[in-house]
Amino acid sequence: MKVFARAPARLDLAGGWTDVPPFSAEVGGVVVNIAINRYTYISASARKDGRVILHSADYSLEVEYERGSGLPYDGRLDLVKAAIRHVGLTDGVEVTVRSDVPPGAGLGASAATGVALLACLGRLAGRAYKPSALAEEAHRLETEELHVPGGRQDQYASLRGGCNYLTFLDPEATAEHIPLSPRLRCELEKSLVLCYTGHSRVSGNIISAVMGAYRSGVAETVNALHGLREVAFSMREALQQEDTSRIASLLKANWEHQRHLHPSVSNPEMERLFALAEGQGALGGKATGAGGGGCLLFLCAPDTEHRVARALREAGAEILHFSFDDLGLQVWESALR
């Protein structure tokens, strides 16, 4: 049997960072995000010879282990190994991973990979996960098993799809969908421009720096985190009221708070791209994920999105086209042979 899974990436519209401990445990996080149709794909099949063979289509990488090797964490597809260990597959297995998202883009691709891996391998092993448990276990794989710091919003977005209002007061989490009217959905899909700066970054390093400043009581960081939380409350209202002007203003406010978290969140190249976009009609924008590179998201004035995209492309950024995803995680067995 060959099992497939896919899980979507996400755009964090507001409140990202507040889902990261210790802030999410001490104050409580609030995040608004939306899933997009850029996916991580997983395929898995059992092997009778006991070998574990792992493929990364994105990196043209293949690693192979004999039965009983223990699947050592050595920087090569460690998240896949962690998922195999967690599911408890004791026989041979072959796994292939592919993503529509550039590496280090700040779109939650690692969380999408974790969610899809557990669902796919769980199906192969005959193990079923409850939805909330799947998101939490995928998060634990990264943060506890592999010691990569991060919040929980990404796993819930990949699992659920759609536009989400998420609250966190560790260890509790609540999630609800924010319905988007057809008008608002079409307007956002038309007017949002997503670009990849071309600079991958290790989000864990930035997260450690920001949360280190928070633990130390750095006033600018503490205030910025509280500001991000308030923007998320307001973003939910703006989406419900279909107020695109306010959505743009809130994206801009979110970015201002992001920039005050830590100097590593922005850099001169990112600031240059923001200035170019705003000069061509962007009303508001932010870095996705942890910042420090990765992707930038802009909401543009009507009929200026093509100018914004062209200016960003000419400046060396890659435009990532997308629409919204409503399905979230999908798992299936292929009819193709």
Side-chain angles (χ1 to χ4, degrees):
M1 180 175 67
K2 194 161 195 174
V3 180
F4 297 81
R6 78 173 192 188
R10 61 92 187 100
L11 305 175
D12 52 328
L13 299 180
W17 283 101
T18 69
D19 61 317
V20 180
F23 186 87
S24 56
E26 297 173 357
V27 179
V30 183
V31 177
V32 175
N33 64 27
I34 190 164
I36 60 174
N37 65 342
R38 285 186 170 255
Y39 302 100
T40 291
Y41 291 90
I42 307 293
S43 65
S45 56
R47 295 184 60 91
K48 295 181 180 179
D49 59 8
R51 291 187 298 167
V52 174
I53 301 178
L54 311 178
H55 307 270
S56 169
D58 304 305
Y59 295 99
S60 300
L61 173 67
E62 178 179 313
V63 293
E64 183 174 335
Y65 300 93
E66 298 297 328
R67 188 195 302 272
S69 67
L71 300 180
Y73 296 146
D74 56 8
R76 298 183 299 168
L77 299 174
D78 287 348
L79 185 56
V80 184
K81 299 171 194 172
I84 293 171
R85 286 182 175 187
H86 180 83
V87 168
L89 283 169
T90 57
D91 295 324
V93 64
E94 188 160 356
V95 181
T96 299
V97 181
R98 177 174 71 80
S99 180
D100 295 333
V101 178
L107 300 177
S110 64
T113 301
V115 167
L117 276 168
L118 287 183
C120 185
L121 295 171
R123 172 78 69 88
L124 191 67
R127 178 174 179 175
Y129 289 92
K130 292 181 179 180
S132 60
L134 183 60
E136 294 293 336
E137 290 302 325
H139 178 254
R140 277 192 280 271
L141 280 187
E142 289 195 70
T143 59
E144 297 180 15
E145 182 72 12
L146 299 178
H147 307 293
V148 178
R152 290 186 282 165
Q153 63 145 319
D154 297 350
Q155 287 81 8
Y156 280 90
S158 291
L159 176 71
R160 293 165 54 82
C163 187
N164 296 285
Y165 176 74
L166 305 168
T167 62
F168 303 95
L169 188 57
D170 300 344
E172 301 300 322
T174 64
E176 65 177 69
H177 278 124
I178 302 174
L180 300 182
S181 70
R183 184 201 71 79
L184 179 60
R185 180 188 181 113
C186 290
E187 185 163 357
L188 290 177
E189 288 183 339
K190 177 182 185 294
S191 302
L192 285 169
V193 172
L194 178 66
C195 78
Y196 178 52
T197 63
H199 300 292
S200 174
R201 79 289 178 276
V202 180
S203 63
N205 294 342
I206 301 174
I207 291 170
S208 296
V210 169
M211 288 305 159
Y214 170 74
R215 288 187 181 95
S216 299
V218 176
E220 189 172 23
T221 301
V222 173
N223 292 337
L225 285 166
H226 282 276
L228 289 166
R229 190 171 184 267
E230 293 303 315
V231 171
F233 286 126
S234 299
M235 182 65 77
R236 180 195 191 191
E237 293 178 352
L239 289 166
Q240 291 171 331
Q241 296 166 0
E242 302 183 29
D243 189 341
T244 48
S245 294
R246 190 179 180 203
I247 292 168
S249 296
L250 290 169
L251 289 174
K252 190 170 186 177
N254 199 98
W255 175 234
E256 286 304 307
H257 291 305
Q258 285 179 277
R259 293 170 69 239
H260 286 90
L261 287 167
H262 193 270
S264 63
V265 171
S266 187
N267 57 50
E269 174 62 14
M270 293 169 69
E271 298 294 339
R272 183 175 75 92
L273 293 175
F274 267 94
L276 283 172
E278 289 169 355
Q280 294 298 321
L283 301 174
K286 65 183 293 295
T288 63
C295 284
L296 309 179
L297 178 69
F298 299 98
L299 182 55
C300 306
D303 296 328
T304 66
E305 65 274 0
H306 61 289
R307 296 207 307 264
V308 172
R310 182 171 60 242
L312 292 170
R313 191 183 298 111
E314 290 175 352
E318 177 186 357
I319 302 302
L320 303 182
H321 299 287
F322 68 91
S323 57
F324 299 147
D325 169 272
D326 293 318
L327 297 177
L329 171 69
Q330 299 293 302
V331 185
W332 71 98
E333 296 166 27
S334 179
L336 298 175
R337 294 293 184 268

